[in-house]
């Protein structure tokens, strides 16, 4: 890889200032620094044209990040500033360590949902602790290159979890939309509270919330174009910043009425002013006159210690791949960046953060060129924290509820059921189990249930591989042809043996059995044992067993287990050659 000379000079100058003296970098160290600190690669190539485009994208994303940060903090049961702090720190840390120009790290609906139950029980500090702990877990997984573990979480499980999260979050805001007090602990609890307190619904909050939802949907459908006329560009910007538009209108309406002593809406209320406080995350939690030490906090969190970082990684990397546009995504680098975003965020009282699909989509649509756009977004959020908190007090709760519910509506993937029905119907099982489990017993356990069901199906199909078993007539000789359609695991070998012996046991003929091995790439000792037993069983019936066209690795394993199997191997171009005498020596490895 050709590294621009000014990149070399920048790295060398930075290290010289840090260590002193002249520093010569080895090529492998240069590559490592450029891969692990991506800003060193793109910053020296930065230009004014890119800056102007990043400023436009950053401002547009900021108008989305501010109302969403406030809304998701409220979903988590936290003061609104926690969401702003998370957005601010996520943008600045990802600038240095992020490898995808479009990704915007900050609070999301799913992270808020996973934090909510613990915040309700243990208070605000637990969200900061989860943020720090998740960052450490993600960082360690990135350093150990454990991204492959995510491959065990299938698309149906992710879709089921995402749909369940959308339903749970939307229903949790239903009471706020209708002007009801209090918050729900679960999907069922949210429905029950609305039904039991239907007589307490307030007209003006409901009207404002419903109108806000209608306006949000209409603004999303505006016929704007990024490269059209001036009016089309204006509509495009308004459509992208629709959340901010609705929130600003709500603030103006609420403030105007409150200034005349008219208070028809429930408002967000006091938001802490000033810049984020800097300090270490809490390693002990004090709540209800009891102090939980570090170990007790971990015990209280339970599966959350793994589920939050797992979901954060899944969400962020999935978004990175969706916007990669043909480029390779370094999953381990993204994990390092996300882990550091959460670790640094915990020092400024952030809630857990990950990549946001909505804000990333806005960033991409705005034409962002580099992660510098995140700095502009972070500065706008920081400005809001310092100067606009008194204004945010007048945000109607019904407006924020409308923003969240509409966002969850577009996050709900109803089409996935149709897709799986057309492609592979059995995938509907882990999707449905995940969805229903999340709704009934909670999102964390629902995800675990979906993964367990998916692994059971995976093990079942590994133990019951596709087998082609049929009679064939070759040069007048009838044979039983057996061909595994995939590599053999130890339970699959037992299954193959049972199927072959079951077929042979139902017939009086003692025809030869040919087991083709072109799909069998590797086997273990248990597979070798079952195949050796198959040979013994068939010999007892005076039936010949031939292993035809097996790879050298599998052949070597079988012969090492039982050297008598050597004479059963044949390598030839056709089955007819096996019985015509024109066969390759069984001692000659197949090329």
């Amino acid at each position: 890889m050709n590294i621009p000379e000014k990149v070399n000079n920048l790295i060398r100058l930075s290290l010289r200032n840090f260590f002193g003296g002249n520093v010569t970098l080895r090529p492998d160290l240069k590559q490592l620094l450029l891969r692990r600190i991506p800003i060193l690669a793109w910053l020296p190539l930065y230009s004014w044209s890119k800056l102007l485009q990043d400023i436009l994208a950053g401002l547009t994303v900021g108008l989305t990040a501010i109302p969403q940060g406030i809304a998701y903090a409220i979903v988590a049961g936290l003061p609104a500033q926690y969401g702003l702090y998370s957005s601010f720190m996520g943008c600045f840390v990802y600038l240095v360590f992020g490898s995808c120009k479009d990704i915007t790290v900050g609070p999301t609906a799913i992270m808020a949902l996973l934090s909510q139950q613990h915040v309700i029980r243990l208070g605000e500090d637990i969200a900061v602790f989860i943020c720090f702990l998740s960052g450490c877990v993600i960082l360690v997984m990135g350093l150990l290159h454990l991204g492959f573990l995510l491959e065990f979480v299938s698309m149906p499980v992710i879709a089921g979890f995402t749909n369940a999260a959308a339903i749970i979050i939307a229903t949790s805001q239903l009471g706020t939309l209708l002007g009801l007090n209090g918050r729900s602990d679960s999907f069922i609890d949210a429905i029950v509270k609305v039904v039991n307190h239907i007589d307490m619904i307030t007209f003006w909050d409901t009207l404002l919330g419903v109108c806000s939802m209608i306006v949000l949907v209409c603004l999303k459908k505006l016929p704007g174009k990024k490269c059209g006329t001036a009016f089309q560009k204006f509509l495009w910007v308004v459509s992208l910043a629709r959340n901010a538009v609705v929130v600003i209108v709500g603030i103006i309406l609420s403030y105007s009425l409150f200034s005349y002593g008219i208070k028809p809406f429930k408002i967000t209320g006091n938001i802490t002013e000033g810049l984020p406080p800097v300090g270490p995350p809490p390693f002990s939690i004090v709540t209800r006159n009891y102090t939980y030490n570090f170990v007790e906090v971990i015990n209280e969190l339970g599966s959350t210690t793994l589920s939050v970082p797992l979901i954060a990684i899944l969400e962020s990397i999935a978004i990175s791949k969706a916007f990669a546009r043909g480029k390779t995504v370094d999953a381990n680098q993204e994990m390092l960046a996300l882990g550091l975003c959460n670790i640094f965020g915990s020092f400024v009282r952030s809630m857990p953060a990950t990549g946001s699909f909505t804000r990333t989509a806005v960033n991409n649509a705005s034409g962002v060129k580099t992660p510098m756009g995140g700095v502009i977004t972070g500065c706008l959020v920081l400005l809001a924290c310092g100067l606009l908190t008194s204004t945010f007090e007048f945000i109607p709760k019904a407006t924020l509820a409308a923003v969240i519910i509409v966002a969850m509506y577009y996050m709900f993937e109803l089409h996935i059921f149709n897709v799986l029905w057309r492609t592979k119907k059995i995938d509907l099982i882990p999707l449905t189990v995940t969805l229903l489990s999340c709704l009934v017993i909670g999102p964390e356990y629902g995800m675990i249930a979906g993964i367990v069901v998916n692994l059971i199906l995976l093990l079942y199909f590994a133990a019951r591989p596709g087998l082609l078993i049929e009679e064939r007539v070759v040069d007048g000789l009838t044979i039983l042809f057996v061909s595994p359609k995939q590599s053999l695991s130890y339970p699959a070998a037992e299954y193959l043996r049972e199927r072959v012996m079951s077929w042979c046991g139902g017939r009086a003929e003692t025809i030869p059995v040919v087991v083709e091995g072109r799909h069998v790439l590797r086997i273990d000792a248990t597979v070798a044992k079952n195949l050796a037993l198959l040979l013994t069983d068939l010999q007892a019936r005076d039936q010949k067993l031939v292993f035809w066209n097996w790879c050298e690795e599998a052949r070597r394993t079988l012969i090492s287990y039982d050297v008598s199997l050597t004479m059963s191997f044949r390598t030839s171009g056709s089955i007819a050659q096996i019985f015509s005498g024109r066969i390759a020596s069984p001692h000659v490895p197949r090329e």
Side-chain angles (χ1 to χ4, degrees), residues 172-384:
S172 72
Q173 295 301 303
L174 189 58
T176 305
L177 184 80
L178 301 175
L180 300 178
N181 293 319
R183 54 189 174 192
S184 56
D185 298 330
S186 64
F187 164 72
I188 297 175
D189 184 50
I191 300 299
V192 169
K193 282 188 176 180
V194 171
V195 173
N196 290 342
H197 299 87
I198 196 168
D199 57 324
M200 300 175 64
I201 292 176
T202 59
F203 173 76
W204 292 110
D205 283 300
T206 304
L207 179 63
L208 178 63
V210 172
C211 290
S212 298
M213 291 173 63
I214 294 172
V215 171
L216 284 167
V217 173
C218 292
L219 290 180
K220 182 177 175 63
K221 297 183 180 296
L222 286 178
K225 293 182 180 179
K226 180 183 176 182
C227 301
T229 63
F231 181 67
Q232 288 176 323
K233 289 180 180 178
F234 172 76
L235 293 180
W236 173 74
V237 172
V238 171
S239 179
L240 289 179
R242 58 188 176 276
N243 289 339
V245 171
V246 169
V247 169
I248 290 171
V249 171
I251 291 173
I252 294 173
L253 178 62
S254 177
Y255 179 78
S256 300
L257 294 174
F258 270 62
S259 62
Y260 287 99
I262 304 173
K263 301 180 179 179
F265 312 124
K266 293 181 174 64
I267 60 174
T268 302
N270 184 52
I271 298 178
T272 303
E273 294 186 15
L275 301 178
V278 180
F283 295 106
S284 60
I285 307 295
V286 180
T287 182
R288 298 186 183 93
N289 296 322
Y290 182 80
T291 301
Y292 293 86
N293 59 36
F294 183 84
V295 175
E296 290 176 324
V297 173
I298 297 293
N299 291 334
E300 286 291 321
L301 291 177
S303 61
T304 301
T305 56
L306 292 178
S307 63
V308 171
L310 176 64
I311 299 302
I313 295 170
L314 283 171
E315 197 170 357
S316 189
I317 292 180
I319 294 169
S320 300
K321 291 181 178 179
F323 290 91
R325 298 292 189 270
K327 297 180 181 178
T328 302
V329 174
D330 187 345
N332 293 309
Q333 179 60 31
E334 285 300 302
M335 290 163 68
L336 292 175
L338 183 59
L340 290 171
C341 285
N342 279 280
I343 291 173
F344 282 104
S346 68
F347 284 83
V348 292
R349 304 288 295 177
S350 293
M351 61 185 289
T354 186
S356 164
F357 187 86
T358 302
R359 297 190 292 278
T360 300
V362 171
N363 209 17
N364 178 266
S366 302
V368 70
K369 297 299 181 184
T370 69
M372 186 65 76
V375 173
I376 308 302
T377 300
C379 290
L380 189 60
V381 173
L382 198 61
L383 182 67

Side-chain angles (χ1 to χ4, degrees), residues 42 46-61 101 363 366-377:
W42 61 261
Y46 205 59
S47 63
W48 285 107
S49 60
K50 290 181 180 179
L51 177 61
L52 292 175
Q53 195 69 44
D54 286 342
I55 290 175
L56 174 62
L59 292 174
T60 307
V61 174
K101 67 180 178 64
N363 209 17
S366 302
V368 70
K369 297 299 181 184
T370 69
M372 186 65 76
V375 173
I376 308 302
T377 300

Side-chain angles (χ1 to χ4, degrees), residues 13 35 48 75 132 145 163 187 234 257 265 308 336 345 352 450-451 476 529 572:
L13 179 61
R35 189 167 68 251
W48 285 107
V75 169
F132 174 78
H145 292 197
N163 285 340
F187 164 72
F234 172 76
L257 294 174
F265 312 124
V308 171
L336 292 175
I451 293 173
K529 175 184 176 181
S572 62

Side-chain angles (χ1 to χ4, degrees), residues 386-448:
L387 303 178
L388 301 178
T389 49
S390 59
T391 304
F392 293 152
E393 294 178 16
F394 291 94
I395 300 176
K397 288 186 176 181
T399 300
L400 285 179
V403 169
I404 296 168
I405 291 173
V406 172
M408 294 306 100
Y409 170 77
Y410 288 111
M411 193 172 93
F412 188 77
E413 298 176 316
L414 188 60
H415 71 280
I416 193 65
F417 292 91
N418 184 43
V419 170
L420 296 182
W421 179 263
R422 287 187 286 105
T423 53
K424 194 171 183 180
K425 296 179 178 60
I426 199 166
D427 283 339
L428 288 169
I429 296 176
L431 185 148
T432 306
V433 169
T434 305
L435 177 62
L436 295 179
S437 299
C438 287
L439 295 178
V440 175
I441 62 178
E444 296 169 349
Y445 297 108
M447 169 66 81
I448 294 172

